[in-house]
Amino acid sequence: MPVAVYAIGDLHGCRQLYHALEAEIVADARARGFEGPKLIVSLGDVVDRGPDSAGLIADLMAPAPDGFRRVVLRGNHEDKMEAFLDDPDGHRIWLKFGGDATLRSYGLQPEDEDRGFDLPTSRLAAMIRTAIPDDHRAFLRGLPLALTLDRYILCHAGIDPARKVDAQDPDQLMWGDPALVDGTEGLPTVVHGHVITEAPLVTPARINIDTGAYLSGQLTAVCLTRDAAPRLLGVSGHPG
């Protein structure tokens, strides 16, 4: 367990909100005198729907602030994006899942706005090869599913309380119902996003910090330490 872990809810391409919250996190750690390794963990769904998924991925791949390390977990939107990039014809549903906004963030524009990106597969694949850098695709392929630290498990969606923590199904971690752990005891606290909530939810079983940044302009983080109770941080602004 690092001296502090700052987990951030679903970003969905909200690059400027991420910049503001990361600056808030760095200032918070400095003000509280946290010395030693610190993590900034994005809980998945960093892409789609919002205005600048491409720029946000580039930022997350860049060096972290001094004293911090970034970890980005795989959400269901990263899962669908990678599947689409590997097989555009078989996973076109991603385009209606917010993927069209991601393609636009890479500078791609439909040839016909009425049809959008409903193009022949060969044409669509050629556009993707030209626009999306190989290192961004490698970034998506390398995203871990979960992170277990002390009394917490961080993932995008949730866990199956009937299974051991180290034997969870990937689909549950990316797509599952976070509320399955409600009322359970003896499990790590699940820190997740995936389900938009008007205000952060903090219970002994789970902490939900997806405040719908791409819709609300509210981006939330939670600070986790070994000895103190979870503490919320947040920023507000334009989703861009």
Side-chain angles (χ1 to χ4, degrees), residues 12-13 45-54 57 76-85 88 91-110 116-118 124 127-128 131-132 140 175 214:
H12 281 303
D45 282 10
V46 302
V47 301
D48 298 347
R49 294 180 172 161
D52 196 0
S53 294
I57 288 177
N76 56 307
H77 280 261
E78 286 76 39
D79 192 46
K80 294 299 289 185
M81 179 178 176
E82 186 181 3
F84 174 84
L85 295 180
H91 295 275
R92 285 177 181 263
I93 188 65
W94 175 69
L95 296 171
K96 297 181 180 179
F97 202 53
D100 58 337
T102 296
L103 292 185
R104 291 175 188 272
S105 76
Y106 283 98
L108 295 176
Q109 296 293 330
F117 289 103
D118 182 19
L124 193 54
M127 292 171 68
I128 292 167
I132 300 181
L140 290 171
W175 295 85
Y214 77 99

Short mmCIF file of all heavy atoms in Angstrom, two decimals, residues 12-13 45-54 57 76-85 88 91-110 116-118 124 127-128 131-132 140 175 214:
data_model
loop_
_atom_site.label_atom_id
_atom_site.label_comp_id
_atom_site.label_asym_id
_atom_site.label_seq_id
_atom_site.Cartn_x
_atom_site.Cartn_y
_atom_site.Cartn_z
N HIS A 12 -14.05 9.54 -19.51
CA HIS A 12 -14.76 9.66 -20.79
C HIS A 12 -14.30 10.87 -21.61
O HIS A 12 -15.10 11.69 -22.04
CB HIS A 12 -16.26 9.72 -20.56
CG HIS A 12 -16.88 8.37 -20.30
ND1 HIS A 12 -16.76 7.32 -21.20
CD2 HIS A 12 -17.60 7.91 -19.25
CE1 HIS A 12 -17.39 6.27 -20.71
NE2 HIS A 12 -17.90 6.58 -19.54
N GLY A 13 -13.00 10.94 -21.82
CA GLY A 13 -12.48 11.97 -22.73
C GLY A 13 -12.46 13.38 -22.19
O GLY A 13 -12.18 14.32 -22.94
N ASP A 45 -12.84 3.43 -18.32
CA ASP A 45 -13.69 4.32 -19.12
C ASP A 45 -13.06 5.71 -19.24
O ASP A 45 -13.70 6.74 -18.99
CB ASP A 45 -15.11 4.41 -18.56
CG ASP A 45 -15.95 3.19 -18.91
OD1 ASP A 45 -15.38 2.20 -19.43
OD2 ASP A 45 -17.18 3.22 -18.70
N VAL A 46 -11.81 5.73 -19.65
CA VAL A 46 -11.17 7.01 -19.93
C VAL A 46 -11.52 7.49 -21.34
O VAL A 46 -11.35 8.67 -21.66
CB VAL A 46 -9.63 6.93 -19.76
CG1 VAL A 46 -9.28 6.49 -18.35
CG2 VAL A 46 -8.98 6.03 -20.78
N VAL A 47 -12.04 6.60 -22.19
CA VAL A 47 -12.35 6.94 -23.58
C VAL A 47 -13.86 7.04 -23.79
O VAL A 47 -14.65 6.67 -22.94
CB VAL A 47 -11.76 5.90 -24.56
CG1 VAL A 47 -10.25 5.81 -24.41
CG2 VAL A 47 -12.40 4.52 -24.35
N ASP A 48 -14.21 7.57 -24.99
CA ASP A 48 -15.59 7.60 -25.51
C ASP A 48 -16.43 8.72 -24.88
O ASP A 48 -16.20 9.15 -23.77
CB ASP A 48 -16.31 6.26 -25.34
CG ASP A 48 -15.64 5.11 -26.09
OD1 ASP A 48 -14.77 5.41 -26.93
OD2 ASP A 48 -15.98 3.95 -25.83
N ARG A 49 -17.43 9.13 -25.67
CA ARG A 49 -18.47 10.07 -25.25
C ARG A 49 -18.00 11.50 -25.10
O ARG A 49 -18.61 12.41 -25.61
CB ARG A 49 -19.15 9.58 -23.96
CG ARG A 49 -19.93 8.30 -24.15
CD ARG A 49 -20.60 7.84 -22.88
NE ARG A 49 -21.49 6.70 -23.16
CZ ARG A 49 -21.92 5.86 -22.25
NH1 ARG A 49 -21.58 6.01 -20.99
NH2 ARG A 49 -22.72 4.85 -22.59
N GLY A 50 -16.92 11.74 -24.37
CA GLY A 50 -16.43 13.09 -24.17
C GLY A 50 -15.60 13.59 -25.33
O GLY A 50 -15.40 12.90 -26.33
N PRO A 51 -15.04 14.81 -25.21
CA PRO A 51 -14.47 15.49 -26.37
C PRO A 51 -13.05 15.11 -26.78
O PRO A 51 -12.68 15.34 -27.92
CB PRO A 51 -14.51 16.97 -25.95
CG PRO A 51 -14.43 16.93 -24.45
CD PRO A 51 -15.15 15.70 -24.03
N ASP A 52 -12.21 14.56 -25.87
CA ASP A 52 -10.81 14.42 -26.26
C ASP A 52 -10.19 13.14 -25.70
O ASP A 52 -9.23 13.19 -24.92
CB ASP A 52 -10.01 15.64 -25.83
CG ASP A 52 -8.65 15.74 -26.55
OD1 ASP A 52 -8.36 14.85 -27.37
OD2 ASP A 52 -7.90 16.68 -26.27
N SER A 53 -10.69 12.01 -26.11
CA SER A 53 -10.12 10.74 -25.66
C SER A 53 -8.68 10.58 -26.13
O SER A 53 -7.82 10.08 -25.38
CB SER A 53 -10.96 9.57 -26.19
OG SER A 53 -12.25 9.57 -25.62
N ALA A 54 -8.38 10.99 -27.35
CA ALA A 54 -7.03 10.85 -27.88
C ALA A 54 -6.03 11.64 -27.06
O ALA A 54 -4.96 11.14 -26.68
CB ALA A 54 -6.99 11.29 -29.34
N ILE A 57 -5.56 10.00 -23.55
CA ILE A 57 -4.67 8.84 -23.57
C ILE A 57 -3.21 9.29 -23.64
O ILE A 57 -2.34 8.76 -22.92
CB ILE A 57 -5.01 7.90 -24.74
CG1 ILE A 57 -6.33 7.16 -24.46
CG2 ILE A 57 -3.89 6.89 -24.98
CD1 ILE A 57 -6.78 6.26 -25.59
N ASN A 76 -15.13 -1.10 -19.44
CA ASN A 76 -15.85 -1.72 -20.55
C ASN A 76 -15.70 -0.93 -21.85
O ASN A 76 -15.74 -1.50 -22.94
CB ASN A 76 -17.33 -1.93 -20.21
CG ASN A 76 -18.04 -0.66 -19.80
OD1 ASN A 76 -17.60 0.04 -18.90
ND2 ASN A 76 -19.17 -0.38 -20.43
N HIS A 77 -15.48 0.38 -21.76
CA HIS A 77 -15.30 1.17 -22.98
C HIS A 77 -13.94 0.91 -23.62
O HIS A 77 -13.84 0.87 -24.86
CB HIS A 77 -15.52 2.65 -22.69
CG HIS A 77 -16.96 3.03 -22.63
ND1 HIS A 77 -17.63 3.61 -23.68
CD2 HIS A 77 -17.87 2.87 -21.64
CE1 HIS A 77 -18.90 3.82 -23.33
NE2 HIS A 77 -19.06 3.36 -22.09
N GLU A 78 -12.90 0.74 -22.82
CA GLU A 78 -11.61 0.35 -23.39
C GLU A 78 -11.70 -1.05 -24.01
O GLU A 78 -11.11 -1.32 -25.06
CB GLU A 78 -10.51 0.37 -22.33
CG GLU A 78 -10.06 1.75 -21.90
CD GLU A 78 -11.04 2.45 -20.99
OE1 GLU A 78 -11.62 1.76 -20.11
OE2 GLU A 78 -11.24 3.66 -21.14
N ASP A 79 -12.45 -1.92 -23.34
CA ASP A 79 -12.64 -3.28 -23.85
C ASP A 79 -13.30 -3.26 -25.23
O ASP A 79 -12.85 -3.94 -26.16
CB ASP A 79 -13.51 -4.06 -22.86
CG ASP A 79 -13.53 -5.56 -23.13
OD1 ASP A 79 -12.44 -6.14 -23.35
OD2 ASP A 79 -14.62 -6.15 -23.10
N LYS A 80 -14.35 -2.45 -25.39
CA LYS A 80 -15.05 -2.37 -26.68
C LYS A 80 -14.20 -1.65 -27.73
O LYS A 80 -14.24 -2.02 -28.91
CB LYS A 80 -16.39 -1.66 -26.51
CG LYS A 80 -17.40 -2.41 -25.66
CD LYS A 80 -17.76 -3.76 -26.25
CE LYS A 80 -18.59 -3.66 -27.49
NZ LYS A 80 -19.03 -5.00 -27.98
N MET A 81 -13.46 -0.65 -27.32
CA MET A 81 -12.61 0.07 -28.28
C MET A 81 -11.54 -0.86 -28.84
O MET A 81 -11.33 -0.91 -30.07
CB MET A 81 -11.96 1.28 -27.63
CG MET A 81 -11.05 2.07 -28.58
SD MET A 81 -10.34 3.53 -27.79
CE MET A 81 -9.27 4.13 -29.13
N GLU A 82 -10.88 -1.61 -27.98
CA GLU A 82 -9.84 -2.52 -28.46
C GLU A 82 -10.43 -3.58 -29.39
O GLU A 82 -9.84 -3.92 -30.42
CB GLU A 82 -9.11 -3.18 -27.30
CG GLU A 82 -7.92 -4.01 -27.77
CD GLU A 82 -7.19 -4.71 -26.66
OE1 GLU A 82 -7.61 -4.63 -25.49
OE2 GLU A 82 -6.19 -5.37 -26.98
N ALA A 83 -11.60 -4.10 -29.03
CA ALA A 83 -12.25 -5.10 -29.89
C ALA A 83 -12.57 -4.51 -31.26
O ALA A 83 -12.38 -5.18 -32.30
CB ALA A 83 -13.52 -5.62 -29.22
N PHE A 84 -13.02 -3.26 -31.29
CA PHE A 84 -13.32 -2.60 -32.55
C PHE A 84 -12.06 -2.40 -33.39
O PHE A 84 -12.07 -2.65 -34.61
CB PHE A 84 -13.99 -1.27 -32.29
CG PHE A 84 -14.22 -0.44 -33.53
CD1 PHE A 84 -15.33 -0.65 -34.33
CD2 PHE A 84 -13.31 0.55 -33.90
CE1 PHE A 84 -15.52 0.11 -35.48
CE2 PHE A 84 -13.51 1.31 -35.04
CZ PHE A 84 -14.62 1.09 -35.84
N LEU A 85 -11.00 -1.96 -32.76
CA LEU A 85 -9.77 -1.72 -33.52
C LEU A 85 -9.24 -3.01 -34.13
O LEU A 85 -8.67 -3.01 -35.22
CB LEU A 85 -8.71 -1.09 -32.61
CG LEU A 85 -9.03 0.31 -32.07
CD1 LEU A 85 -7.89 0.82 -31.20
CD2 LEU A 85 -9.31 1.30 -33.19
N PRO A 88 -13.10 -4.13 -36.87
CA PRO A 88 -14.12 -3.09 -37.02
C PRO A 88 -15.47 -3.62 -37.48
O PRO A 88 -16.51 -3.12 -37.01
CB PRO A 88 -13.50 -2.15 -38.07
CG PRO A 88 -12.04 -2.39 -38.00
CD PRO A 88 -11.89 -3.84 -37.65
N HIS A 91 -17.47 -5.35 -34.55
CA HIS A 91 -17.73 -4.61 -33.31
C HIS A 91 -18.15 -3.16 -33.58
O HIS A 91 -17.80 -2.25 -32.83
CB HIS A 91 -16.48 -4.64 -32.42
CG HIS A 91 -16.13 -6.01 -31.95
ND1 HIS A 91 -16.70 -6.59 -30.84
CD2 HIS A 91 -15.28 -6.95 -32.47
CE1 HIS A 91 -16.21 -7.80 -30.66
NE2 HIS A 91 -15.36 -8.06 -31.64
N ARG A 92 -18.93 -2.98 -34.63
CA ARG A 92 -19.39 -1.64 -34.98
C ARG A 92 -20.28 -1.01 -33.90
O ARG A 92 -20.45 0.21 -33.86
CB ARG A 92 -20.15 -1.66 -36.31
CG ARG A 92 -19.25 -1.81 -37.52
CD ARG A 92 -20.06 -1.90 -38.82
NE ARG A 92 -19.19 -2.05 -39.96
CZ ARG A 92 -18.79 -1.02 -40.74
NH1 ARG A 92 -19.20 0.19 -40.48
NH2 ARG A 92 -18.00 -1.25 -41.77
N ILE A 93 -20.84 -1.82 -33.03
CA ILE A 93 -21.69 -1.29 -31.97
C ILE A 93 -20.94 -0.28 -31.12
O ILE A 93 -21.54 0.62 -30.52
CB ILE A 93 -22.25 -2.45 -31.10
CG1 ILE A 93 -23.29 -1.95 -30.11
CG2 ILE A 93 -21.10 -3.15 -30.37
CD1 ILE A 93 -24.53 -1.41 -30.75
N TRP A 94 -19.60 -0.41 -31.08
CA TRP A 94 -18.80 0.56 -30.30
C TRP A 94 -19.03 1.98 -30.78
O TRP A 94 -19.00 2.92 -29.97
CB TRP A 94 -17.31 0.19 -30.41
CG TRP A 94 -16.39 1.18 -29.75
CD1 TRP A 94 -16.25 1.42 -28.41
CD2 TRP A 94 -15.48 2.07 -30.40
NE1 TRP A 94 -15.31 2.39 -28.19
CE2 TRP A 94 -14.81 2.80 -29.39
CE3 TRP A 94 -15.14 2.30 -31.73
CZ2 TRP A 94 -13.84 3.75 -29.68
CZ3 TRP A 94 -14.17 3.24 -32.02
CH2 TRP A 94 -13.54 3.96 -31.01
N LEU A 95 -19.27 2.17 -32.07
CA LEU A 95 -19.47 3.52 -32.60
C LEU A 95 -20.71 4.18 -31.99
O LEU A 95 -20.75 5.41 -31.84
CB LEU A 95 -19.61 3.46 -34.12
CG LEU A 95 -18.37 2.97 -34.87
CD1 LEU A 95 -18.68 2.73 -36.34
CD2 LEU A 95 -17.21 3.95 -34.71
N LYS A 96 -21.71 3.38 -31.61
CA LYS A 96 -22.92 3.92 -30.99
C LYS A 96 -22.80 3.94 -29.47
O LYS A 96 -23.72 4.38 -28.78
CB LYS A 96 -24.13 3.08 -31.41
CG LYS A 96 -24.39 3.13 -32.90
CD LYS A 96 -25.61 2.31 -33.28
CE LYS A 96 -25.87 2.38 -34.79
NZ LYS A 96 -27.06 1.58 -35.20
N PHE A 97 -21.68 3.48 -28.99
CA PHE A 97 -21.40 3.35 -27.56
C PHE A 97 -20.54 4.52 -27.08
O PHE A 97 -20.04 4.52 -25.97
CB PHE A 97 -20.66 2.01 -27.39
CG PHE A 97 -20.70 1.39 -26.03
CD1 PHE A 97 -21.88 1.16 -25.37
CD2 PHE A 97 -19.51 0.97 -25.43
CE1 PHE A 97 -21.89 0.56 -24.13
CE2 PHE A 97 -19.51 0.36 -24.20
CZ PHE A 97 -20.71 0.16 -23.55
N GLY A 98 -20.37 5.52 -27.97
CA GLY A 98 -19.49 6.65 -27.69
C GLY A 98 -18.21 6.62 -28.48
O GLY A 98 -17.40 7.56 -28.42
N GLY A 99 -18.00 5.55 -29.26
CA GLY A 99 -16.78 5.43 -30.03
C GLY A 99 -16.64 6.44 -31.14
O GLY A 99 -15.52 6.79 -31.53
N ASP A 100 -17.78 6.92 -31.66
CA ASP A 100 -17.69 7.94 -32.71
C ASP A 100 -16.98 9.19 -32.21
O ASP A 100 -16.18 9.80 -32.93
CB ASP A 100 -19.08 8.27 -33.27
CG ASP A 100 -20.04 8.75 -32.20
OD1 ASP A 100 -19.84 8.46 -31.00
OD2 ASP A 100 -21.02 9.43 -32.56
N ALA A 101 -17.23 9.57 -30.96
CA ALA A 101 -16.56 10.74 -30.39
C ALA A 101 -15.06 10.48 -30.26
O ALA A 101 -14.24 11.39 -30.47
CB ALA A 101 -17.14 11.08 -29.03
N THR A 102 -14.69 9.25 -29.94
CA THR A 102 -13.26 8.92 -29.83
C THR A 102 -12.59 9.02 -31.19
O THR A 102 -11.49 9.59 -31.31
CB THR A 102 -13.09 7.50 -29.25
OG1 THR A 102 -13.60 7.49 -27.92
CG2 THR A 102 -11.63 7.09 -29.24
N LEU A 103 -13.21 8.49 -32.25
CA LEU A 103 -12.62 8.61 -33.58
C LEU A 103 -12.46 10.07 -33.98
O LEU A 103 -11.44 10.46 -34.57
CB LEU A 103 -13.48 7.86 -34.61
CG LEU A 103 -13.52 6.34 -34.47
CD1 LEU A 103 -14.31 5.74 -35.64
CD2 LEU A 103 -12.11 5.73 -34.42
N ARG A 104 -13.45 10.89 -33.67
CA ARG A 104 -13.33 12.32 -34.00
C ARG A 104 -12.18 12.97 -33.24
O ARG A 104 -11.52 13.87 -33.76
CB ARG A 104 -14.65 13.03 -33.68
CG ARG A 104 -15.79 12.65 -34.61
CD ARG A 104 -17.11 13.30 -34.18
NE ARG A 104 -18.25 12.82 -34.93
CZ ARG A 104 -18.68 13.32 -36.09
NH1 ARG A 104 -18.04 14.35 -36.62
NH2 ARG A 104 -19.73 12.82 -36.70
N SER A 105 -11.91 12.50 -32.02
CA SER A 105 -10.81 13.09 -31.25
C SER A 105 -9.45 12.78 -31.88
O SER A 105 -8.48 13.49 -31.61
CB SER A 105 -10.85 12.59 -29.80
OG SER A 105 -10.38 11.26 -29.67
N TYR A 106 -9.38 11.75 -32.70
CA TYR A 106 -8.16 11.44 -33.45
C TYR A 106 -8.12 12.16 -34.80
O TYR A 106 -7.26 11.87 -35.63
CB TYR A 106 -8.04 9.94 -33.66
CG TYR A 106 -7.57 9.18 -32.43
CD1 TYR A 106 -8.47 8.55 -31.59
CD2 TYR A 106 -6.21 9.12 -32.12
CE1 TYR A 106 -8.04 7.87 -30.46
CE2 TYR A 106 -5.78 8.44 -31.00
CZ TYR A 106 -6.69 7.82 -30.17
OH TYR A 106 -6.26 7.15 -29.06
N GLY A 107 -9.04 13.06 -35.01
CA GLY A 107 -9.04 13.84 -36.24
C GLY A 107 -9.82 13.22 -37.38
O GLY A 107 -9.81 13.75 -38.50
N LEU A 108 -10.49 12.11 -37.15
CA LEU A 108 -11.28 11.46 -38.20
C LEU A 108 -12.64 12.13 -38.31
O LEU A 108 -13.27 12.46 -37.31
CB LEU A 108 -11.46 9.97 -37.90
CG LEU A 108 -10.19 9.13 -37.91
CD1 LEU A 108 -10.50 7.70 -37.50
CD2 LEU A 108 -9.54 9.15 -39.28
N GLN A 109 -13.08 12.29 -39.53
CA GLN A 109 -14.40 12.86 -39.79
C GLN A 109 -15.13 11.97 -40.79
O GLN A 109 -14.53 11.48 -41.75
CB GLN A 109 -14.28 14.28 -40.38
CG GLN A 109 -13.64 15.29 -39.45
CD GLN A 109 -14.50 15.58 -38.24
OE1 GLN A 109 -15.73 15.51 -38.31
NE2 GLN A 109 -13.86 15.91 -37.11
N PRO A 110 -16.42 11.74 -40.57
CA PRO A 110 -17.18 10.95 -41.54
C PRO A 110 -17.22 11.64 -42.89
O PRO A 110 -17.23 12.88 -42.96
CB PRO A 110 -18.58 10.87 -40.92
CG PRO A 110 -18.45 11.32 -39.51
CD PRO A 110 -17.26 12.20 -39.45
N GLY A 116 -22.50 9.02 -40.82
CA GLY A 116 -21.49 8.90 -39.79
C GLY A 116 -20.36 8.00 -40.23
O GLY A 116 -19.89 8.08 -41.36
N PHE A 117 -19.94 7.11 -39.33
CA PHE A 117 -18.84 6.20 -39.64
C PHE A 117 -19.34 4.85 -40.15
O PHE A 117 -18.64 3.84 -40.06
CB PHE A 117 -17.96 6.00 -38.41
CG PHE A 117 -17.14 7.22 -38.06
CD1 PHE A 117 -17.53 8.05 -37.00
CD2 PHE A 117 -15.99 7.54 -38.77
CE1 PHE A 117 -16.78 9.17 -36.67
CE2 PHE A 117 -15.25 8.66 -38.45
CZ PHE A 117 -15.64 9.48 -37.40
N ASP A 118 -20.54 4.86 -40.71
CA ASP A 118 -21.08 3.63 -41.32
C ASP A 118 -20.48 3.49 -42.72
O ASP A 118 -21.11 3.80 -43.72
CB ASP A 118 -22.60 3.70 -41.37
CG ASP A 118 -23.22 2.43 -41.94
OD1 ASP A 118 -22.51 1.40 -41.95
OD2 ASP A 118 -24.38 2.48 -42.38
N LEU A 124 -12.98 1.94 -43.40
CA LEU A 124 -12.91 2.26 -41.98
C LEU A 124 -11.58 1.78 -41.38
O LEU A 124 -10.93 2.50 -40.62
CB LEU A 124 -14.09 1.59 -41.26
CG LEU A 124 -14.40 2.03 -39.84
CD1 LEU A 124 -14.59 3.54 -39.75
CD2 LEU A 124 -15.65 1.31 -39.35
N MET A 127 -8.74 4.12 -42.36
CA MET A 127 -8.78 5.37 -41.59
C MET A 127 -8.18 5.17 -40.21
O MET A 127 -7.41 5.99 -39.72
CB MET A 127 -10.22 5.86 -41.49
CG MET A 127 -10.83 6.34 -42.80
SD MET A 127 -12.61 6.66 -42.67
CE MET A 127 -12.61 8.10 -41.59
N ILE A 128 -8.53 4.05 -39.56
CA ILE A 128 -8.03 3.76 -38.22
C ILE A 128 -6.52 3.59 -38.22
O ILE A 128 -5.81 4.13 -37.36
CB ILE A 128 -8.73 2.51 -37.66
CG1 ILE A 128 -10.21 2.79 -37.40
CG2 ILE A 128 -8.04 2.02 -36.38
CD1 ILE A 128 -11.02 1.54 -37.16
N ALA A 131 -4.88 7.00 -38.39
CA ALA A 131 -5.12 8.00 -37.36
C ALA A 131 -4.69 7.60 -35.95
O ALA A 131 -4.29 8.46 -35.17
CB ALA A 131 -6.61 8.37 -37.34
N ILE A 132 -4.81 6.33 -35.60
CA ILE A 132 -4.59 5.93 -34.21
C ILE A 132 -3.19 5.35 -34.07
O ILE A 132 -2.86 4.33 -34.67
CB ILE A 132 -5.66 4.92 -33.77
CG1 ILE A 132 -7.05 5.57 -33.88
CG2 ILE A 132 -5.40 4.46 -32.32
CD1 ILE A 132 -8.19 4.69 -33.45
N LEU A 140 -3.86 0.44 -24.76
CA LEU A 140 -5.15 -0.23 -24.50
C LEU A 140 -4.94 -1.71 -24.20
O LEU A 140 -5.56 -2.26 -23.27
CB LEU A 140 -6.07 -0.08 -25.71
CG LEU A 140 -6.62 1.32 -25.99
CD1 LEU A 140 -7.35 1.34 -27.33
CD2 LEU A 140 -7.56 1.77 -24.87
N TRP A 175 -17.78 -5.06 -16.49
CA TRP A 175 -19.17 -4.88 -16.92
C TRP A 175 -20.19 -5.16 -15.81
O TRP A 175 -21.38 -4.91 -16.00
CB TRP A 175 -19.49 -5.83 -18.07
CG TRP A 175 -18.76 -5.59 -19.33
CD1 TRP A 175 -17.52 -6.03 -19.68
CD2 TRP A 175 -19.22 -4.83 -20.45
NE1 TRP A 175 -17.18 -5.63 -20.94
CE2 TRP A 175 -18.21 -4.88 -21.44
CE3 TRP A 175 -20.39 -4.12 -20.72
CZ2 TRP A 175 -18.33 -4.25 -22.67
CZ3 TRP A 175 -20.52 -3.49 -21.95
CH2 TRP A 175 -19.50 -3.56 -22.91
N TYR A 214 -18.65 13.58 -18.14
CA TYR A 214 -18.92 14.05 -19.51
C TYR A 214 -20.30 14.69 -19.62
O TYR A 214 -20.58 15.43 -20.57
CB TYR A 214 -18.76 12.92 -20.51
CG TYR A 214 -19.91 11.93 -20.57
CD1 TYR A 214 -20.89 12.01 -21.55
CD2 TYR A 214 -20.02 10.91 -19.61
CE1 TYR A 214 -21.95 11.10 -21.59
CE2 TYR A 214 -21.05 10.01 -19.66
CZ TYR A 214 -22.01 10.10 -20.64
OH TYR A 214 -23.05 9.21 -20.68
#
